[in-house]
Amino acid sequence: MNHELYLEVRRYTRLLLSRKRVVVVAVLLVMTLGMAASFLLPRKYEATSTVFIEQSVIGDLVKGIAVTPSMEAKIKVLALAMLSRESLSQVLRILDKDVYLNTDAEREEYIAKLRDRISIKLDEKRGVFFITYADWDPVFARDLVNTITQVYIESNTAAKRNESLEATRFLSAQIESFKKRIDAVEDEVNRYKAEHGMQLAVDETIIRYEIAESEKKLEAIRGRRFALETQQQLLPSGGGDGGNVAEMERQLKVLKTAYTDSHPKVVRLKDQIAVARANPQRGGSGAATQTRAMIRAELEGIRMQEEAELRTIEDKRLLLREMPTIRTGLEELLRKKQNETEIYNQLVTRYGQSEVSKQMEIENKSMTFRIVDPAVLPEIPVFPNRPLIIFGSLVLGIGTGLALVILPYMMGGAVRSVADLRVLNQRVLAVLPVIPKPEEERRRRKADRIFMAGALVYFSLLLAVGILEAMGSPYLEQVIGRISGWRS
Amino acid sequence: MSRIEDALAKAAGFQHSGGRGGGLPGIERRPLVDSGSLRVARLPEETMVVVNAPLSPVAEEYRKLKEALVKMTRRERFDNLIAVTSATVGEGKSMTAINLAVSLAGEYDHTVLLIDSDLRRPCVNKYLGLTASRGLSDCLREGLDVGELLVKTDIGRLSVLPAGTPIANPVELFTSETMRRLFREMKNRYGDRYIIIDTPPVLPFAETRSIAGIADGVLLVVREGQASLDQIQETIEALDGKVLGIVYNGAQIEGRASYYSYSYQGQA
């Protein structure tokens, strides 16, 4: 331990020992006053009623399906209802207390005070709550607690709560509205599908395949056209027949390089060659003219085919381009429908819960609370708490004694060591220790012993009273009662 | 023979005659022992350690105080009029004054006159076991000669001027010109001796300020745990710079109390 601190502790110990009588007197005085106060203060009696909150079987059954108010919420509502002006006024009427209250202001004030003194506490584990009230008159305390409980339970049975009904009504209206919205979206989807049914039904890959096929066909048509155009150009204006057959055979060779023997072009040219060979007499300008006319007619047909194929390709390409937009539009409509449907479904579920909750509320009305222990006439006062006051005054007395000794010493600023004198700039010529006085010391010790013995006896007496009170012994109460009886 | 010696002789004669014939009425002397030495019987007051336990460390402290005082006062002129006081009541002035006087008187060089000027609570008589009823107040009131009221003790060369007849208001006496004249006369008359004046505390009473005005120096007794620094400072200021030094009294010295106690009791 720090030496300075050690010296300081020793100094205070010495101070306390030298002035122990002050401490002892302070302790005994404060304890005596505390004890006197604990016996003289008016007594307060507390009455308590225990009410059981019945948990309905339905509650467990519908757990998670229906919404039931928590126990705490129930108690809050209950406390508010119990301590309401109406409820308390009714209680006062029943107890005939209202006859003493002449004006509304007096009644209001009395009710406000009453409200502050009534305590409603919940024991959630046991599912009970306690209504407690303390008063100087034990009979009034008991009657008030019992009446207030009774009044509440009666009024609670008769009361109707509409929260659940309101909720059901609200949900029902919402469901109606959402149903209409879902129907509207569904109609819109149907209309859209009808409008773009073809496009939506077609597969994109197939269209691409068909375009490719059409392009191939177009290519073939164009080839044929080129061949016919060439043939037309090669026809002699009035040439011999041999030259014509030769020409056709040459064209056949060319065609065979590109097509098989079964290709229509090849087959047609072979037929022409065969016709030309079979009718050698039909040469001359008449045959050529006939051939040219045939070629022209064929060319005309080919051009028409070509145009048709081009249109087909163009149409399909257009379809291919429009397809994503059409599908996005449909998806948008479907999503909208889905959203509306989800909300609708939730509302329907809640509506179901609400229906059950409503039924539960109605079910709970008459059976929620049951008085387990009605308040009885309190016999032991709750105030003043004598043991607490007595032992508290002991602590207070010790504190007072210490303060009486130490505070003046600390506040007085007395010189406590030679070092304190340094600030005075004076020479310290001698330091004289405390000179013991054995005779005086003996006398003082003897006086101290007598004093302390007396103090101890008195203190033991006070302590015994405190212990008896703490043990709840009625002995002292009886003695005091007897003394008061004698006096009266 | 000087006047003081003459007075002392008269006083001694009165003491030895037990108050009969000659001498001053009202002054009695209870003989201690062995006149001229410190080997006297125990004094009734236990704090008179210089007499009761001359070899104890506390007595040694008083000797140190005496040495310091002698050094301070032996200057070109001899500052022999020393007042002993304190800021508040009960700080050990009288005990210090008597022990210091006894200690000085124990030396062969010093003759000491101890004056009890605390007319409110005189205690020199009690501490030294004297029964003289007349003293300083009688000198001041009746103009009696100091020499006639001196009581010679058997403690070295120590003479005592007791407080005298109790009076209601000593302040008026001490602020009077008579008092100044008396102390000046004593200083001059007993110029070769120490005159130690036991005074009342400074703060509650006014007379010490007057005495300090005449004295050559003041020893301020400070008791541990009693007066505050402010009070001491105020006292020093009230004494007009006459404070020679502080005697720190009642010190709680750890581990030495038993030694003091043992030494003290061993001397008994």
Side-chain angles (χ1 to χ4, degrees):
Chain A
M1 194 194 286
N2 183 315
H3 186 64
E4 283 297 317
L5 182 64
Y6 168 75
L7 288 179
E8 198 70 8
V9 171
R10 285 294 302 262
R11 194 170 289 138
Y12 279 103
T13 311
R14 214 180 290 122
L15 176 74
L16 286 173
L17 286 174
S18 68
R19 307 204 61 196
K20 54 184 171 290
R21 288 191 191 196
V22 175
V23 180
V24 169
V25 167
V27 169
L28 295 179
L29 194 68
V30 174
M31 265 189 94
T32 308
L33 289 175
M35 188 167 287
S38 76
F39 280 95
L40 291 174
L41 281 172
R43 296 167 210 175
K44 219 174 195 179
Y45 296 88
E46 192 175 84
T48 301
S49 168
T50 310
V51 179
F52 180 62
I53 309 164
E54 280 195 44
Q55 292 283 16
S56 169
V57 180
I58 299 169
D60 292 332
L61 290 175
V62 298
K63 203 171 186 179
I65 299 171
V67 180
T68 53
S70 70
M71 188 66 87
E72 207 170 331
K74 276 183 189 170
I75 288 295
K76 263 185 192 171
V77 174
L78 181 147
L80 280 173
M82 265 191 181
L83 302 178
S84 66
R85 187 194 291 110
E86 194 186 329
S87 171
L88 291 177
S89 299
Q90 200 180 338
V91 170
L92 292 180
R93 267 198 304 279
I94 293 168
L95 294 174
D96 292 334
K97 268 278 173 186
D98 57 338
V99 294
Y100 302 108
L101 306 167
N102 299 320
T103 61
D104 285 347
E106 270 182 36
R107 186 180 293 107
E108 280 296 311
E109 196 183 338
Y110 191 83
I111 286 174
K113 281 181 185 170
L114 210 59
R115 192 176 289 146
D116 289 342
R117 284 156 62 187
I118 296 169
S119 135
I120 298 170
K121 281 182 188 162
L122 169 72
D123 184 345
E124 203 167 341
K125 279 184 187 169
R126 290 166 57 198
V128 293
F129 67 90
F130 307 98
I131 304 159
T132 307
Y133 174 72
D135 198 274
W136 313 117
D137 180 2
V139 177
F140 180 68
R142 178 199 60 191
D143 292 350
L144 185 105
V145 169
N146 284 338
T147 312
I148 203 168
T149 314
Q150 202 59 45
V151 164
Y152 174 72
I153 289 175
E154 278 170 15
S155 65
N156 185 58
T157 310
K160 298 289 178 192
R161 284 173 61 190
N162 293 320
E163 290 89 345
S164 238
L165 292 167
E166 284 299 322
T168 312
R169 215 168 289 146
F170 170 76
L171 288 172
S172 177
Q174 289 296 307
I175 285 169
E176 189 88 7
S177 159
F178 272 84
K179 181 79 178 75
K180 280 179 186 166
R181 284 164 71 173
I182 289 169
D183 290 347
V185 175
E186 207 160 350
D187 287 349
E188 208 174 333
V189 169
N190 289 338
R191 266 200 311 277
Y192 194 85
K193 276 183 178 171
E195 199 177 324
H196 301 284
M198 282 294 288
Q199 292 91 327
L200 291 166
V202 177
D203 187 357
E204 196 177 333
T205 322
I206 291 168
I207 292 174
R208 285 186 194 283
Y209 176 75
E210 282 176 359
I211 290 171
E213 281 299 306
S214 295
E215 280 174 344
K216 273 184 193 170
K217 252 187 213 174
L218 187 65
E219 194 64 29
I221 290 166
R222 278 177 181 162
R224 175 67 184 153
R225 184 168 53 88
F226 290 143
L228 285 173
E229 280 170 357
T230 312
Q231 194 180 353
Q232 193 180 27
Q233 283 168 5
L234 293 173
L235 274 177
S237 52
D241 194 32
N244 192 26
V245 172
E247 178 58 26
M248 280 193 286
E249 282 176 345
R250 194 186 54 80
Q251 281 179 10
L252 184 66
K253 277 182 188 174
V254 171
L255 283 175
K256 276 187 177 178
T257 57
Y259 306 110
T260 58
D261 285 351
S262 58
H263 195 275
K265 287 179 183 177
V266 176
V267 171
R268 201 181 298 132
L269 194 55
K270 274 183 180 175
D271 291 346
Q272 285 174 0
I273 291 168
V275 169
R277 279 185 182 154
N279 300 306
Q281 71 276 11
R282 283 182 64 199
S285 63
T289 309
Q290 195 181 356
T291 306
R292 198 172 290 116
M294 279 174 71
I295 290 169
R296 248 195 318 270
E298 199 172 345
L299 276 172
E300 192 60 32
I302 284 170
R303 268 190 211 102
M304 284 173 72
Q305 274 180 19
E306 194 178 343
E307 277 168 15
E309 283 300 323
L310 279 171
R311 265 200 308 277
T312 305
I313 289 170
E314 190 55 34
D315 287 348
K316 287 190 176 170
R317 279 186 178 154
L318 187 66
L319 179 61
L320 211 56
R321 278 198 297 275
E322 284 177 348
M323 204 172 272
T325 317
I326 293 164
R327 286 203 173 145
T328 309
L330 181 65
E331 278 168 13
E332 188 63 34
L333 282 172
L334 288 173
R335 195 160 45 246
K336 193 175 169 188
K337 186 187 165 190
Q338 194 184 353
N339 286 344
E340 303 285 6
T341 310
E342 274 177 17
I343 296 171
Y344 174 79
N345 288 338
Q346 281 180 4
L347 284 170
V348 169
T349 311
R350 292 285 160 87
Y351 182 80
Q353 290 180 344
S354 165
E355 273 293 320
V356 180
S357 304
K358 184 175 74 184
Q359 291 305 321
M360 280 187 63
E361 286 290 334
I362 295 162
E363 195 74 18
N364 281 344
K365 287 299 173 202
S366 59
M367 49 176 286
T368 310
F369 307 110
R370 192 162 292 176
I371 301 169
V372 179
D373 287 323
V376 291
L377 189 69
E379 288 178 354
I380 300 166
V382 290
F383 178 84
N385 186 341
R386 283 183 193 149
L388 185 72
I389 293 176
I390 292 167
F391 290 106
S393 61
L394 167 64
V395 175
L396 184 69
I398 293 170
T400 308
L402 294 180
L404 281 174
V405 174
I406 290 173
L407 281 183
Y409 180 72
M410 287 173 74
M411 308 293 277
V415 173
R416 296 178 199 177
S417 69
V418 184
D420 291 352
L421 298 172
R422 279 181 202 143
V423 292
L424 298 170
N425 287 327
Q426 292 290 331
R427 192 174 161 190
V428 177
L429 300 173
V431 178
L432 305 170
V434 176
I435 299 168
K437 301 176 182 176
E439 190 54 42
E440 194 181 310
E441 196 70 14
R442 264 194 298 278
R443 277 200 303 274
R444 192 179 55 75
R445 242 183 268 145
K446 191 180 170 188
D448 275 354
R449 269 200 292 273
I450 294 167
F451 173 81
M452 291 305 276
L456 193 67
V457 169
Y458 187 64
F459 178 73
S460 306
L461 203 68
L462 296 179
L463 205 61
V465 173
I467 290 167
L468 278 175
E469 285 297 325
M471 288 166 65
S473 163
Y475 181 71
L476 277 167
E477 202 66 43
Q478 287 166 2
V479 170
I480 292 168
R482 220 170 286 161
I483 292 168
S484 337
W486 288 339
R487 277 184 189 167
S488 60
Chain B
M1 187 179 277
S2 67
R3 288 179 68 187
I4 179 76
E5 282 165 346
D6 191 28
L8 287 171
K10 279 183 188 172
F14 174 76
Q15 293 298 328
H16 287 296
S17 64
R20 288 179 309 236
L24 290 166
I27 297 178
E28 286 185 40
R29 171 77 172 86
R30 194 173 68 190
L32 297 169
V33 287
D34 297 336
S35 167
S37 82
L38 276 178
R39 289 184 184 175
V40 293
R42 275 181 65 86
L43 286 171
E45 175 57 38
E46 289 168 310
T47 54
M48 297 296 108
V49 285
V50 178
V51 175
N52 290 343
L55 300 179
S56 67
V58 192
E60 194 57 39
E61 284 297 319
Y62 278 112
R63 278 194 280 278
K64 283 181 199 167
L65 172 64
K66 175 193 72 180
E67 289 305 324
L69 182 70
V70 169
K71 271 186 193 168
M72 280 191 287
T73 52
R74 286 281 180 204
R75 298 174 193 156
E76 291 171 8
R77 59 183 179 80
F78 178 40
D79 293 334
N80 63 336
L81 193 62
I82 305 298
V84 179
T85 191
S86 65
T88 59
V89 180
E91 296 201 59
K93 300 174 298 293
S94 302
M95 184 189 83
T96 306
I98 298 168
N99 276 311
L100 177 65
V102 170
S103 187
L104 279 166
E107 289 197 4
Y108 292 108
D109 297 344
H110 302 129
T111 304
V112 183
L113 171 59
L114 175 64
I115 300 173
D116 189 354
S117 72
D118 191 350
L119 303 188
R120 297 169 195 270
R121 281 177 60 187
C123 52
V124 172
N125 271 2
K126 188 182 89 178
Y127 285 3
L128 289 177
L130 305 176
T131 52
S133 58
R134 307 194 75 187
L136 181 62
S137 63
D138 302 292
C139 290
L140 291 170
R141 278 197 314 184
E142 297 169 21
L144 296 176
D145 186 63
V146 174
E148 293 173 359
L149 301 180
L150 288 180
V151 180
K152 187 171 183 337
T153 69
D154 288 334
I155 304 168
R157 281 187 267 181
L158 173 66
S159 300
V160 175
L161 178 62
T165 313
I167 54 170
N169 189 2
V171 181
E172 286 176 8
L173 275 182
F174 279 103
T175 51
S176 66
E177 187 54 37
T178 315
M179 191 277 289
R180 284 195 197 86
R181 206 168 44 241
L182 178 73
F183 275 92
R184 268 201 298 271
E185 187 190 326
M186 279 197 278
K187 181 172 165 59
N188 293 330
R189 198 195 285 184
Y190 313 124
D192 55 343
R193 290 140 210 220
Y194 277 105
I195 304 170
I196 307 293
I197 312 164
D198 178 22
T199 66
V202 175
L203 295 182
F205 309 118
E207 49 262 44
T208 308
R209 297 162 203 243
S210 306
I211 297 169
I214 301 158
D216 294 323
V218 178
L219 289 180
L220 182 62
V221 180
V222 174
R223 189 175 195 89
E224 184 171 296
Q226 192 145 331
S228 69
L229 275 175
D230 290 341
Q231 287 175 318
I232 299 166
Q233 185 67 50
E234 192 184 338
T235 306
I236 291 168
E237 283 164 13
L239 295 173
D240 290 334
K242 289 281 180 75
V243 177
L244 295 172
I246 290 173
V247 177
Y248 190 75
N249 190 24
Q252 297 284 354
I253 301 167
E254 292 299 324
R256 289 175 69 180
S258 57
Y259 174 58
Y260 278 115
S261 174
Y262 171 78
S263 304
Y264 171 65
Q265 285 175 346
Q267 295 297 322

Short mmCIF file of all heavy atoms in Angstrom, two decimals, chain A residues 162-183:
data_model
loop_
_atom_site.label_atom_id
_atom_site.label_comp_id
_atom_site.label_asym_id
_atom_site.label_seq_id
_atom_site.Cartn_x
_atom_site.Cartn_y
_atom_site.Cartn_z
N ASN A 162 -65.51 -4.92 -32.29
CA ASN A 162 -65.80 -4.98 -33.73
C ASN A 162 -64.56 -4.99 -34.61
O ASN A 162 -64.68 -4.99 -35.83
CB ASN A 162 -66.64 -3.76 -34.12
CG ASN A 162 -68.01 -3.83 -33.49
OD1 ASN A 162 -68.60 -4.90 -33.43
ND2 ASN A 162 -68.51 -2.71 -33.02
N GLU A 163 -63.39 -5.02 -33.95
CA GLU A 163 -62.18 -4.93 -34.77
C GLU A 163 -62.12 -6.04 -35.82
O GLU A 163 -61.82 -5.81 -36.99
CB GLU A 163 -60.92 -5.01 -33.90
CG GLU A 163 -60.69 -3.80 -33.02
CD GLU A 163 -61.37 -3.94 -31.69
OE1 GLU A 163 -62.24 -4.83 -31.55
OE2 GLU A 163 -61.04 -3.17 -30.78
N SER A 164 -62.43 -7.27 -35.38
CA SER A 164 -62.35 -8.41 -36.28
C SER A 164 -63.36 -8.30 -37.41
O SER A 164 -63.06 -8.56 -38.58
CB SER A 164 -62.62 -9.66 -35.47
OG SER A 164 -61.55 -10.51 -35.57
N LEU A 165 -64.55 -7.88 -37.06
CA LEU A 165 -65.60 -7.72 -38.06
C LEU A 165 -65.20 -6.67 -39.09
O LEU A 165 -65.35 -6.87 -40.29
CB LEU A 165 -66.90 -7.29 -37.37
CG LEU A 165 -67.55 -8.35 -36.46
CD1 LEU A 165 -68.61 -7.71 -35.61
CD2 LEU A 165 -68.14 -9.48 -37.29
N GLU A 166 -64.65 -5.62 -38.60
CA GLU A 166 -64.22 -4.54 -39.49
C GLU A 166 -63.16 -5.05 -40.44
O GLU A 166 -63.17 -4.75 -41.63
CB GLU A 166 -63.67 -3.37 -38.66
CG GLU A 166 -64.74 -2.53 -37.99
CD GLU A 166 -65.66 -1.88 -38.99
OE1 GLU A 166 -65.18 -1.46 -40.06
OE2 GLU A 166 -66.88 -1.82 -38.74
N ALA A 167 -62.23 -5.82 -39.90
CA ALA A 167 -61.14 -6.35 -40.72
C ALA A 167 -61.71 -7.26 -41.81
O ALA A 167 -61.31 -7.17 -42.98
CB ALA A 167 -60.18 -7.12 -39.84
N THR A 168 -62.66 -8.10 -41.47
CA THR A 168 -63.26 -9.01 -42.45
C THR A 168 -63.96 -8.21 -43.54
O THR A 168 -63.83 -8.52 -44.73
CB THR A 168 -64.27 -9.93 -41.75
OG1 THR A 168 -63.66 -10.45 -40.59
CG2 THR A 168 -64.71 -11.06 -42.65
N ARG A 169 -64.66 -7.18 -43.11
CA ARG A 169 -65.39 -6.34 -44.06
C ARG A 169 -64.41 -5.67 -45.03
O ARG A 169 -64.61 -5.65 -46.24
CB ARG A 169 -66.17 -5.28 -43.30
CG ARG A 169 -67.50 -4.96 -43.96
CD ARG A 169 -68.37 -4.15 -43.05
NE ARG A 169 -68.89 -4.90 -41.94
CZ ARG A 169 -69.10 -4.39 -40.72
NH1 ARG A 169 -68.82 -3.15 -40.46
NH2 ARG A 169 -69.59 -5.15 -39.78
N PHE A 170 -63.35 -5.19 -44.52
CA PHE A 170 -62.34 -4.52 -45.34
C PHE A 170 -61.74 -5.50 -46.35
O PHE A 170 -61.63 -5.22 -47.54
CB PHE A 170 -61.26 -3.95 -44.42
CG PHE A 170 -60.06 -3.45 -45.14
CD1 PHE A 170 -60.08 -2.25 -45.81
CD2 PHE A 170 -58.88 -4.20 -45.17
CE1 PHE A 170 -58.97 -1.80 -46.48
CE2 PHE A 170 -57.77 -3.76 -45.85
CZ PHE A 170 -57.82 -2.56 -46.50
N LEU A 171 -61.40 -6.67 -45.85
CA LEU A 171 -60.78 -7.67 -46.72
C LEU A 171 -61.75 -8.10 -47.82
O LEU A 171 -61.35 -8.27 -48.98
CB LEU A 171 -60.36 -8.89 -45.90
CG LEU A 171 -59.15 -8.69 -44.98
CD1 LEU A 171 -58.96 -9.89 -44.10
CD2 LEU A 171 -57.89 -8.45 -45.81
N SER A 172 -62.99 -8.22 -47.48
CA SER A 172 -63.99 -8.63 -48.45
C SER A 172 -64.07 -7.62 -49.60
O SER A 172 -64.09 -8.00 -50.78
CB SER A 172 -65.33 -8.73 -47.72
OG SER A 172 -66.33 -9.06 -48.62
N ALA A 173 -64.09 -6.36 -49.27
CA ALA A 173 -64.15 -5.30 -50.29
C ALA A 173 -62.92 -5.35 -51.18
O ALA A 173 -62.99 -5.20 -52.41
CB ALA A 173 -64.27 -3.95 -49.61
N GLN A 174 -61.80 -5.59 -50.57
CA GLN A 174 -60.56 -5.64 -51.34
C GLN A 174 -60.55 -6.82 -52.30
O GLN A 174 -60.12 -6.72 -53.44
CB GLN A 174 -59.37 -5.75 -50.38
CG GLN A 174 -59.08 -4.49 -49.59
CD GLN A 174 -58.65 -3.36 -50.51
OE1 GLN A 174 -57.74 -3.51 -51.31
NE2 GLN A 174 -59.34 -2.24 -50.41
N ILE A 175 -61.03 -7.92 -51.83
CA ILE A 175 -61.08 -9.13 -52.67
C ILE A 175 -61.94 -8.86 -53.91
O ILE A 175 -61.56 -9.19 -55.04
CB ILE A 175 -61.61 -10.31 -51.86
CG1 ILE A 175 -60.52 -10.80 -50.89
CG2 ILE A 175 -62.04 -11.46 -52.76
CD1 ILE A 175 -61.01 -11.78 -49.86
N GLU A 176 -63.06 -8.22 -53.70
CA GLU A 176 -63.98 -7.87 -54.80
C GLU A 176 -63.25 -7.05 -55.85
O GLU A 176 -63.29 -7.34 -57.04
CB GLU A 176 -65.15 -7.06 -54.21
CG GLU A 176 -66.29 -6.82 -55.16
CD GLU A 176 -67.29 -7.96 -55.10
OE1 GLU A 176 -67.15 -8.86 -54.24
OE2 GLU A 176 -68.17 -7.97 -55.95
N SER A 177 -62.57 -6.05 -55.38
CA SER A 177 -61.87 -5.14 -56.27
C SER A 177 -60.79 -5.87 -57.07
O SER A 177 -60.68 -5.70 -58.29
CB SER A 177 -61.27 -4.01 -55.43
OG SER A 177 -60.24 -3.41 -56.13
N PHE A 178 -60.06 -6.72 -56.38
CA PHE A 178 -58.97 -7.42 -57.08
C PHE A 178 -59.51 -8.46 -58.07
O PHE A 178 -58.90 -8.72 -59.10
CB PHE A 178 -58.01 -8.05 -56.06
CG PHE A 178 -56.94 -7.10 -55.65
CD1 PHE A 178 -57.15 -6.18 -54.64
CD2 PHE A 178 -55.71 -7.07 -56.31
CE1 PHE A 178 -56.18 -5.28 -54.27
CE2 PHE A 178 -54.73 -6.16 -55.94
CZ PHE A 178 -54.96 -5.27 -54.93
N LYS A 179 -60.63 -9.01 -57.75
CA LYS A 179 -61.24 -9.99 -58.67
C LYS A 179 -61.58 -9.29 -59.99
O LYS A 179 -61.30 -9.83 -61.07
CB LYS A 179 -62.51 -10.55 -58.01
CG LYS A 179 -63.23 -11.57 -58.83
CD LYS A 179 -62.51 -12.92 -58.70
CE LYS A 179 -63.22 -14.02 -59.49
NZ LYS A 179 -63.03 -13.93 -60.91
N LYS A 180 -62.13 -8.09 -59.89
CA LYS A 180 -62.48 -7.33 -61.10
C LYS A 180 -61.24 -7.01 -61.92
O LYS A 180 -61.25 -7.13 -63.15
CB LYS A 180 -63.19 -6.02 -60.71
CG LYS A 180 -64.65 -6.23 -60.39
CD LYS A 180 -65.30 -4.93 -59.98
CE LYS A 180 -66.73 -5.18 -59.51
NZ LYS A 180 -67.28 -4.04 -58.82
N ARG A 181 -60.20 -6.67 -61.21
CA ARG A 181 -58.96 -6.32 -61.93
C ARG A 181 -58.38 -7.53 -62.64
O ARG A 181 -57.90 -7.44 -63.77
CB ARG A 181 -57.95 -5.74 -60.94
CG ARG A 181 -58.33 -4.31 -60.57
CD ARG A 181 -57.64 -3.84 -59.36
NE ARG A 181 -56.22 -3.61 -59.57
CZ ARG A 181 -55.41 -3.06 -58.69
NH1 ARG A 181 -55.92 -2.67 -57.54
NH2 ARG A 181 -54.14 -2.88 -58.95
N ILE A 182 -58.46 -8.68 -62.02
CA ILE A 182 -57.94 -9.91 -62.65
C ILE A 182 -58.76 -10.24 -63.90
O ILE A 182 -58.21 -10.57 -64.96
CB ILE A 182 -57.98 -11.09 -61.65
CG1 ILE A 182 -56.92 -10.88 -60.57
CG2 ILE A 182 -57.72 -12.41 -62.35
CD1 ILE A 182 -57.05 -11.82 -59.41
N ASP A 183 -60.06 -10.09 -63.80
CA ASP A 183 -60.93 -10.37 -64.97
C ASP A 183 -60.59 -9.46 -66.14
O ASP A 183 -60.51 -9.90 -67.29
CB ASP A 183 -62.40 -10.19 -64.57
CG ASP A 183 -62.86 -11.30 -63.62
OD1 ASP A 183 -62.10 -12.29 -63.50
OD2 ASP A 183 -63.92 -11.15 -62.99
#
